[in-house]
Amino acid sequence: MKIIESLKIKEKAYIEKLENGMTIIIVPKKNTKKKYIIWGTHFGSIDNRFIMPQTGEEVFIPDGVAHFLEHKMFEQPNGTNSLDTLMALGIDANAYTTNDHTAYLFECTDNFYEGLDELMDYVQHPYFTDENVEKEKGIIGQEINMYDDDPSWQLYMNALDCLYKENPIKIDIAGSIESISKITPDVLYKCYNTFYNPSNMTMVICGDFEPEQILQEIKNRLLPKENQGEIKRIYPPKENEKNKSEKVSKMEVSTPMFMIGYKDTQNNKENIIQKHIAIEILLNMIIGKSSNLYQQLYENGTLLSQPDLDYEFTDQYAHILISGFSKDPKLVKQKIDETIQKMQENGLDDEHFNRIKKKIYGDYVVEYNSVADISRMFLADSMKGINSFDYIEEFETVSKEYAEAVLKDIFKEENEAISIIEPNE
Amino acid sequence: MNYQKEEIKQGITLHNLHTENFKTNLYAVFLTIPLQRETTTLNALIGAVLRRGTQNLQTQEQISKQLEGMYGASFNCGIEKTGDNHVLKFYLETLSDEFLPEPENLTEKCISIILDIAFNPLTVNGTFKPEYVEGEKKNLKQIIESKIDNKAKYAYDRCIEEMFKNKPYGLYKFGYVEDLEKITPETLYKQYQQLIANCKIDIFCSGRINSKELSEQIKQNSNIKKLQERKPQYIVNNEKTEQKEDIEVNTVEESMQVTQGKLVIGLDIKDTQENSRYVASVYSAILGGGANSKLFQNVREKQSLAYTAGSSYLKPKSSIFIRCGIEIQNYKKALDTIKEQLEDMKNGKFSEEDLENAKKLIIASIDSITEEQDTEITYYYGQELSDRFVTVEDYKKYISEVTSKQVTELANKIQINTIYFLKD
C-alpha cells in the first residue's frame, strides 16, 4: 500500500489500487468509536451520454437515472431492503447522488463487519424489476416535489441556468417527474454494468483500523470482475460565455435570497489546489466576516448574516457561488462588483491576506475532526483526482501575487450572473 | 472519567470534558432562565447585540479580525429552548495548540474572548450602543418572519405552538415582531442586567485542556470576578415534572403555497414514573425511529404515501412528535395509517426484533455522544437541567433493560394531543 502522510496534522492515509481497478483509501483514527465507510462510483447526474466499454454501444439516458439507481440498489430479491437490514444492526446507513458521483455509506460504533457484509453484498447485486421500478417512481416523485418547494434548491438551479447554456450540471439531480417516467430496468442495468465496475469505483474507510487487515477484509468480499478500463463519456462542448446575467423567481419566502455566480472558464487541472485555496482566501477577503464590505452591508441592514461562499468544480464545470439573504440583492451585487474592482486595481492588503490565510488553514484542519467528514472529503476529492492532504501541504505555497492573478482571471463581469428568489406579492 | 465539574461561585459552574480525539478545543457559555412571554423577544435580541462588540473589542470587525488571526477560531451564539427554559448559548472553537503551525497559547485567549462577549458588552452612557440595538432589531424581525421559509420546520413549530398554547414551551424562541417595536436600548440593557444577575451560568470546555490551569484562568478572569453569587431561577424538566391533562384532540389545518403537505402529530405521554424516559425513547424508536420503524415501513415503504415519515421524542416535555411529508390528497389515508400504528403499539403488535432494533438504534446514538464535542456538551447540559446524573454507560444499560411489556404499558398512556396539517 502507498502511504501518504500529513505531519502538520499527524494523520496518514493508506492507498491501494487493486488489479480490478478499484481504489481503496484507509485513514486510520486511533481511539475513535465511530467507524465510517463510503463506497463511491464516478457516476453522477451529469453523466447522461456514454459508450459502454463492453459493447461499444452509445447510450443516452433520461435525467435522474444516477439518483434513481441509488434508490433502487437497496432492494433485494428476497424482498428485504438493505437500508433496513443495516438500521436493524444499529448502523446509520445512507446513500447520496451528486453531479459527479454516487456514494453508499454507513457509520457505526458496533457491528462494523456485519455492516460491511451487507454493504458489499447489496452494491454488488442489483435487482431491478418492472414492478419495483414502477413503485420507486412514486417515492422519487415525492422527493422531486419536496425540492420544488425548497427555495435554496431553486435558487441554485437558477444560478446554474444563468451560468451555462448547455451543460449537464443544469440537470436536476433527481430528474423530473416526466424524465423518470421513462426509466426502465434495462436502462438501470446498462448504467449499473458500465459505472459500477470496480475500475470506476473508490472506497474510503476511516476509524480505528489496522490498514492491512481491513484491506484484506474488503478484498475477501469483492466479487471477481474484469477491469473494463475507462468509460468514454460524452459531454456537450465547453462554452466560454454565460447564458444570461440574471434570473428572478418568486416563491413563498420572507426575505429575498440571492446567489451570485462567477463562471470559471479557465477550468483546467493545473494548480487546482492552489487555485482553490486562493479562491477561498479571496472570497473571504471580499465579503468574509471581517471584510469592510460585510461590515458595511450588515450595519445598514442589507445583509443578515455572512453569505455562503463556494467554489464547485469538476472537469466539466467550475464556478464560484456567493449566496445569502438580503432585502436588496442588486445592491449586494453592485457593492461586491465595486469591491472586486478596487481590489483588482489596488492589489491585496498584506495583513488582511495573511490573516485570512491563517483562517483558511484552520478551516482545513477542522475537517479532520470527524470520521464522516474525512471519508467524504477523501472520496469527493479522489473523484477529482485530488489527494486531500495537499490542501494542508500546499497551503504555504499560495502567495499574495498568485491570489491577485486569480482575482483578475476569474472575477470578471462577463463571467458573472445573479439568481434571485423574491417573496410572493 | 473524563468529566469534571466545579462550582466557581454559587450558580456558576465550570464543566471540563477532557478528550484527545479532536483537532479542536471547544468552549461554551450557557445562560439559562425561565421562558416567559414578556422576556422572550428581549432575550433573543440580547444575544444578537452582545455579539456586536465588547468594551475591549468594540466592533464585530475587531472580533472577527481577532478570531481569524487565531487560525479561524469560530464564534457562534444562538438562542434555544430547553424544556421551559430560554438559553443563550455562546460557542468558541479553535485548533488545539498541538496542531498550530507555530506554537501559541490559544486557550487563554479563547476564555478571555468568550467571557468578554457574554459579560462585558460595549456600553455607551450606561446602556447598549443604540446603533447596535436598532440594527439587531431589524435583523431579528427578519429572522422571526423567516419562520415560514422552511415548511417542514414551520409545521413542526406550529404544532408545538398549538400543543403548548399559553404555556412557556409554546413560545417561539426568537420572540415576536409586535414586542420588538417597543424595545429601547435602555429596556434591553435593564433586562440584560436582570438576566446576568439571576441566570444559571454554565461554562463548558472540551478538548486538550489542563483542568487546573483552566479553573485558575476562569477564577482570575475579571468578568467572572464581577459576577455575584446567585440562586439561579431555572426550571427543572423531567418525566416527573410533566403532568398531562386529558384533552380533546385539537386538529389544525393551514394553507400555504406548498406542493407537498406537512403532517405533524403531537403526542402526550401520561406517565410520570421515574425513569419512564428510557421506555419512551424505545417506544418512539419502534414507532418512527428509522428505516425499520413502523411509520417508515407502513407510511412510506408499503403504501408510498410519504417521502419522510418518522417520530422524535422530546424528553424534557414528555412529548413525541410524528412528522411526515405527504402528497396532499393522501392526508386521510396517511392519518389513518398512522393511527393504526399507534393502536398496534397499544396492543403490543411489534416483534422482539423491532424492540431490539430500536434499542440498537438508540445505543448507537448514545455511543456517538462522545464523538462530537458539542454533542457531549449538550448531553451534560441536559443533565443539569433535568437534575439527573446518568453516565453514558448507565444510560446504555437502562435502554437495554427496557422490556416489550413496559413499552406496551407506556403505549396505553400515550394519546394524540394535536394534529397539524400544512397544505396548499
Side-chain angles (χ1 to χ4, degrees), chain A residues 6 51 56 106 140 165 169 185 226 232 264 279 282 304 319 334 338 396 401 417:
Chain A
S6 169
I51 292 167
F106 72 79
I140 295 183
K165 288 195 186 95
I169 195 183
E226 286 287 310
K232 187 157 168 29
D264 175 8
I279 288 173
L282 288 167
L304 260 186
H319 47 255
Q334 184 201 327
E338 285 169 17
E396 302 275 12
E401 291 67 31

Side-chain angles (χ1 to χ4, degrees), chain A residues 152-167:
Chain A
S152 350
W153 183 251
Q154 294 310 316
L155 181 75
Y156 174 67
M157 291 310 289
N158 289 352
L160 296 177
D161 186 32
C162 292
L163 295 177
Y164 300 93
K165 288 195 186 95
E166 202 191 332
N167 186 304

